[in-house]
């Protein structure tokens, strides 16, 4: 069933490619839009895999290839089916991630607007060796959306306590890592988990449920949850 | 899954053998503590799963539930609106049995002997427990709506236990004559799912505006105010202007009588002919709580820290059936209470760590296509009750993108909570 779906999607991509071509997006505007992605993805010098894989050299790379990153089963299947990240497939993916790769852990609703996608891809493309357009000095895109005191980041969480606390999370977030309207929170690097939770707790990230849930978690409890979800198989 | 599947297949076989005997014999010094859970819904399925999962075989868990497939009340209104298929709301107990080693017994619990610590079932079994967890949901209060009793639930469905009732109600709505009237008799507090009747009205209005745009909706309501009222009323104005009329207690909305044979609804003495009459009577704890002798009035009072009955420390009551304090009677609440209870029961029976109770709830409702709203709160255990700590509610006048994101989130929540209940 999945195979069929993938074949169908491939046909759509070919069509989309014809329709949109690779007409120029605006990388500067793309850099602004990319702020929506930095919670999970790094790109630029020194970028490494975090919640999501790094995006250096993404163009023309086969899907699911960032070494050491734990891809979802869905992405592994798509990769085995031969998915390659071209302008067209990336365009389809960021339009609606789950319709291209069912069961991907990427919990992003997608960009509806073609101009937004063109601009974002124009920006990302500057981090791929080929084709051209490599900016003169690579921006350091190793960004996070909130800063947390080093002593808080240094707390080593107790996964057993995290397991108990996780009951509050799994009423919505699936322990299997599946995501559908509610993001996956499994296998995140603990630091990203801690930063995200403090961003809600401090009211920097907007979401009433998450602000409420994070709001009453202590620093130790956040660390415990991070430790538990990081190790969840 | 951490534990060995094969080990459980072994257990299941052993259990099947025990089951064919007329009675569960409890050998003296039975090596493992036993937990019996009555009711495989939001509270019971979650509790059974967490105890089995976290004790990794150290506790024998039996789940007694009469139905083979549980149809969630949550999202059943969306079925009425045409946003969900009925089969997408059904869940079987197969994974709980096969992967978690839970002994699933499809039967009704009909008696509880609190001295002998046994549960008896309609099928004639006697099942011993060390701890008993009751999560039987609700039953209706006899005589709550004059003229209505369960024998009228075909002519005038409640659709407040999901499944065939929900399908019946939708079929009746679809069969209404053009310009006909759908009436709802709304329940008094407290009842399961405070926004439920009003989400129902929204979904009925959505359906009618597609197939029967001149139809009317009439609500007789005994309550002055209701959950998310400003949000619902704003939505009804925006989407279904002129279709919905609500008669509150100031105009006699609490003084109703129905005649299922004549299909009439009388509100404060004024009789109206209706085409569909959705009667949602006053509620009480599922009957087994009463039979166990642990209710006070309509509900079973519990201690906040571990959901243990105030009348029997070996019985815990979860979800709609318990009187616990500030939490609304919702699937989310039942699931949240179940996890606190599971942790406490496991601690009491095996000495595992017991962490402080913490509870939360969020209820999403759909008003129209992509127009979702939500309300939620966190809670803690005090000596006296489960007490509210903090909360939020969607705002009136929110933009369409926020509402759409809220709806999409509710779909994710549905998948999340059902995975948390059934594995
Ligand atoms: C229309 C509607 C919409 C709703 N929407 C939402 C929503 O969006 N979000 C939300 O959180 N909640 C919602 N709810 C509320 C939610 O369904 C209930 O609060 C929740 O199911 C309560 O869980 P429970 O475990 O107490 O009972 P239930 O889930 O009802 O489970 C009780 C189980 O016990 C079994 N049982 C009863 N008696 C016995 C016995 N004697 N022996 C053995 N088994 C027995 C029953 O068969 C049943 O399966 C909604 C409810 C309705 C009616």
């Amino acid at each position: 069933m999945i195979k069929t779906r993938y074949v169908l999607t491939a046909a759509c991509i070919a069509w989309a490619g014809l329709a949109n071509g690779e007409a120029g997006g605006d990388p500067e505007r793309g850099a602004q839009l990319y702020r929506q992605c930095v919670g999970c993805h790094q790109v630029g010098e020194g970028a490494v895999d975090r919640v999501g894989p790094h995006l250096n050299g993404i163009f023309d790379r086969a899907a699911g290839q960032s070494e050491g990153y734990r891809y979802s089963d869905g992405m592994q299947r798509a990769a085995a089916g031969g998915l390659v990240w071209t302008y067209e497939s990336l365009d389809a993916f960021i339009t609606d991630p789950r319709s291209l790769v069912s069961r991907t852990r990427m919990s992003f609703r997608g960009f509806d607007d073609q101009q937004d996608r063109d601009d974002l891809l124009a920006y990302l493309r500057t981090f791929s060796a080929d084709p051209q357009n490599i900016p003169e000095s690579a921006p350091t895109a190793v960004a996070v959306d909130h800063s947390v005191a080093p002593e808080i980041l240094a707390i080593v969480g107790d996964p057993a306590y995290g397991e108990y606390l996780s009951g509050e999370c799994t009423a919505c977030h699936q322990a299997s890592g599946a995501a559908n309207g509610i993001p996956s929170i499994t296998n995140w690097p603990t630091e990203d988990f801690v930063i995200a939770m403090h961003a809600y707790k401090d009211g920097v990230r907007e979401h009433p449920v998450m602000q409420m849930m994070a709001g009453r978690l202590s620093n130790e409890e956040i660390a415990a949850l991070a430790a538990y979800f990081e190790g969840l198989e | 899954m951490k534990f060995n599947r094969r080990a459980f297949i072994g257990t299941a076989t052993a259990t099947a053998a025990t089951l064919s005997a007329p009675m569960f014999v409890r050998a003296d010094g039975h090596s493992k503590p036993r937990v019996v859970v009555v009711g495989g819904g939001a509270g019971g399925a979650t509790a059974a799963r967490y105890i089995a999962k976290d004790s990794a075989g150290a506790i024998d868990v039996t789940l007694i539930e009469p139905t083979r497939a549980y149809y969630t009340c949550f999202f059943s209104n969306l079925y009425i609106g045409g946003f969900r298929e009925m089969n997408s709301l059904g869940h079987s107990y197969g994974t709980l049995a096969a992967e978690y080693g839970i002994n699933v017994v499809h039967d009704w619990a009909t008696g509880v002997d609190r001295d002998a610590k046994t549960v008896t079932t309609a099928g004639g079994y006697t099942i011993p427990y060390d701890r008993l967890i009751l999560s039987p949901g609700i039953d209706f209060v006899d005589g709550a709506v004059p003229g209505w009793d369960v024998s009228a639930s075909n002519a005038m469905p409640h659709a407040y236990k999901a499944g065939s009732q929900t399908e019946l109600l939708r079929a009746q709505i679809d069969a209404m004559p053009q310009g006909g009237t759908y009436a709802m008799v709304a329940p008094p507090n407290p009842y399961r799912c405070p926004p439920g009747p009003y989400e129902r009205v929204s979904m009925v209005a959505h359906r009618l505006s597609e197939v029967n745009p001149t139809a009317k909706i009439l609500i007789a309501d005994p309550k002055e105010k209701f959950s998310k009222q400003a949000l619902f009323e704003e939505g009804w104005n925006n989407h279904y202007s002129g279709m919905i009329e609500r008669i509150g207690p100031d105009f006699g909305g609490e003084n109703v009588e129905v005649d299922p044979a004549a299909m009439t609804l009388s509100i404060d003495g004024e009789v109206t002919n209706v085409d569909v009459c959705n009667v949602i009577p006053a509620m009480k704890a599922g009957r087994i709580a009463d039979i166990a002798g642990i209710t006070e009035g309509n509900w079973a009072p519990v201690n906040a820290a571990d959901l243990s009955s105030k009348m029997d420390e070996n019985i815990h009551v979860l979800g709609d059936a318990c009187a616990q304090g500030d939490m609304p009677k919702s699937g989310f609440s039942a699931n949240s209470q179940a996890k606190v209870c599971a942790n406490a029961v496991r601690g009491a029976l095996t000495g595992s760590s017991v962490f402080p109770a913490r509870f939360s709830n969020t209820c999403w409702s759909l008003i129209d296509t992509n127009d979702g709203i939500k309300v939620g709160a966190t809670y803690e255990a005090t000596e006296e009750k489960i007490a509210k700590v903090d909360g939020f509610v969607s705002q009136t006048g929110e933009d369409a993108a926020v509402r759409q994101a809220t709806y999409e989130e509710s779909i994710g929540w549905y998948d999340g909570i059902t995975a948390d209940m059934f594995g």
Side-chain angles (χ1 to χ4, degrees):
Chain A
M1 190 190 117
I2 297 204
K3 216 168 200 159
T4 318
R5 181 189 188 117
Y6 183 63
V7 171
L8 280 177
T9 321
C12 296
I13 297 167
W15 177 84
L18 287 178
N20 305 327
E22 300 189 7
D26 171 1
E28 267 173 45
R29 193 166 166 273
Q32 301 294 314
L33 291 166
Y34 184 73
R35 290 192 183 151
Q36 297 179 46
C37 316
V38 299
C40 298
H41 292 283
Q42 296 189 348
V43 71
E45 210 174 314
V48 292
D49 295 340
R50 300 298 294 249
V51 174
H54 76 79
L55 300 175
N56 289 344
I58 186 77
F59 278 83
D60 297 329
R61 185 166 83 195
Q65 295 306 313
S66 186
E67 195 135 331
Y69 181 75
R70 278 193 273 182
Y71 288 95
S72 64
D73 293 349
M75 187 60 82
Q76 289 178 28
R77 230 177 283 129
L83 179 64
V84 173
W85 293 125
T86 62
Y87 208 96
E88 290 73 28
S89 60
L90 284 168
D91 184 68
F93 193 57
I94 65 174
T95 305
D96 183 358
R98 279 189 299 271
S99 77
L100 181 66
V101 180
S102 60
R103 307 191 72 90
T104 174
R105 279 210 311 273
M106 174 145 140
S107 348
F108 180 65
R109 318 184 45 206
F111 290 104
D112 292 338
D113 187 60
Q114 183 68 56
Q115 191 63 50
D116 289 351
R117 298 197 297 274
D118 285 349
D119 294 347
L120 185 80
L121 291 180
Y123 172 68
L124 283 182
R125 189 171 203 161
T126 61
F127 301 98
S128 285
D130 174 56
Q132 345 71 41
N133 269 349
I134 300 178
E136 311 217 312
S137 64
T140 34
V142 187
V144 286
D145 60 351
H146 188 48
S147 63
V148 172
E151 58 275 19
I152 294 180
L153 288 176
I155 299 170
V156 178
D158 168 10
Y161 187 32
E163 180 168 17
Y164 168 69
L165 294 170
S166 75
E168 286 216 308
C169 314
T170 54
C172 298
H173 298 273
Q174 297 185 51
S176 68
N180 174 25
I182 298 228
S184 162
I185 54 170
T186 60
N187 303 153
W188 288 27
T190 51
E191 187 174 311
D192 293 87
F193 194 101
V194 170
I195 289 171
M197 291 300 279
H198 281 279
Y200 287 119
K201 191 175 162 80
D202 300 341
V204 176
R205 282 201 190 184
E206 309 247 348
H207 192 280
V209 181
M210 286 308 302
Q211 288 182 351
M212 178 180 80
M213 301 306 286
R216 70 162 172 173
L217 290 169
S218 68
N219 296 341
E220 285 68 27
E221 288 168 339
I222 288 176
L225 282 167
Y228 171 69
F229 279 113
E230 203 272 330
L232 200 61
E233 284 305 320
Chain B
M1 212 109 323
K2 267 190 242 122
F3 40 81
N4 181 343
R5 213 162 155 157
R6 188 164 285 170
F8 280 120
I9 292 168
T11 320
T13 323
T15 312
T18 326
L19 246 178
S20 56
M23 180 176 184
F24 281 78
V25 187
R26 189 183 182 191
D28 263 357
H30 181 83
S31 59
K32 286 184 193 174
R34 307 182 217 219
V35 170
V36 173
V37 181
V38 173
T46 308
R49 178 171 165 267
Y50 270 75
I51 292 171
K53 168 171 85 71
D54 295 339
S55 71
I59 297 177
D60 270 351
V61 182
T62 294
L63 175 62
I64 307 176
E65 163 62 52
T67 64
R68 260 86 179 157
Y70 176 82
Y71 284 90
T72 58
C73 280
F74 25 108
F75 275 28
S76 66
N77 287 330
L78 274 62
Y79 162 82
I80 291 172
F83 294 89
R84 288 294 278 228
E85 296 295 323
M86 185 48 77
N87 63 16
S88 78
L89 306 180
H91 303 269
S92 91
Y93 295 91
T95 306
L96 292 181
E99 288 199 18
Y100 294 88
I102 294 168
N103 178 32
V104 179
V105 176
H106 289 303
D107 205 343
W108 285 97
T110 48
V112 176
D113 182 334
R114 282 161 50 191
D115 297 324
K117 295 215 269 179
T118 58
V119 176
T120 48
T121 71
Y125 299 109
T126 300
I127 307 175
Y129 64 81
D130 295 300
R131 289 290 173 115
L132 173 63
I133 298 176
L134 299 181
S135 193
I138 53 109
D139 276 313
F140 300 113
V141 173
D142 275 344
V145 175
W148 192 93
D149 63 30
V150 275
S151 70
S153 58
N154 192 281
M156 295 189 169
H158 53 78
Y160 233 64
K161 297 183 181 188
S164 52
Q165 275 280 306
T166 325
E167 290 175 303
L168 171 67
L169 183 63
R170 188 168 100 177
Q172 291 183 350
I173 291 164
D174 285 353
M176 276 168 61
Q178 290 297 311
T181 300
Y182 160 98
M184 170 187 282
V185 176
N189 290 320
Y191 61 96
R192 76 167 17 161
C193 196
Y198 310 97
E199 180 187 59
R200 158 106 22 109
V201 164
S202 309
M203 291 295 94
V204 172
H206 173 82
R207 184 106 187 139
L208 289 175
S209 58
E210 284 179 343
V211 299
N212 191 348
T214 55
K216 294 275 179 255
I217 295 177
L218 175 65
I219 312 165
D221 202 332
K223 302 179 295 297
E224 248 155 56
K225 294 181 301 186
F226 61 87
S227 169
K228 299 189 258 195
Q229 182 162 1
L231 293 159
F232 278 115
E233 287 179 347
E234 176 193 55
W236 293 347
N237 259 325
N238 290 344
H239 302 291
Y240 315 116
S241 176
M243 185 181 259
I244 301 165
E245 183 187 3
R246 173 174 172 269
I247 299 179
D250 37 351
F251 291 95
E254 87 292 3
N255 181 17
V256 295
E257 192 174 337
V258 296
D259 183 341
M263 281 306 285
T264 57
L265 165 65
S266 143
I267 304 176
D268 215 17
E270 191 177 319
V271 178
T272 311
N273 290 309
V274 298
D275 299 290
V276 175
C277 195
N278 182 188
V279 176
I280 310 176
M283 296 170 206
K284 61 180 185 185
R287 216 172 106 65
I288 191 70
D290 218 7
I291 292 171
I294 52 164
T295 53
E296 198 179 88
N298 287 335
W299 311 100
V302 292
N303 298 303
D306 59 358
L307 285 301
S308 60
S309 161
K310 291 207 164 154
M311 298 172 197
D312 187 330
E313 59 181 7
N314 296 313
I315 302 183
H316 301 251
V317 190
L318 306 177
D320 293 352
C322 70
Q324 33 69 23
D326 296 349
M327 295 183 85
K329 297 186 186 299
S330 73
F332 201 122
S333 296
N335 168 270
S336 173
Q337 293 158 10
K339 288 179 262 197
V340 169
C341 174
N343 182 253
V345 165
R346 209 156 54 82
L349 296 179
T350 67
S352 62
S353 348
V354 177
F355 297 108
R358 50 199 303 141
F359 307 92
S360 54
N361 176 59
T362 299
C363 282
W364 285 264
S365 304
L366 186 61
I367 300 178
D368 196 356
T369 309
N370 287 330
D371 192 359
I373 54 174
K374 61 187 169 189
V375 60
T378 53
Y379 305 84
E380 64 187 6
T382 66
E383 276 300 306
E384 180 205 351
K385 62 172 184 177
I386 297 183
K388 180 170 167 179
V389 178
D390 188 17
F392 71 89
V393 58
S394 294
Q395 302 297 303
T396 50
E398 278 170 342
D399 68 42
V402 171
R403 291 296 175 85
Q404 181 174 347
T406 302
Y407 170 57
E408 286 168 2
E409 199 174 276
S410 73
I411 297 171
W413 164 76
Y414 185 90
D415 291 352
I417 193 171
T418 51
D420 209 32
M421 290 163 62
F422 298 106

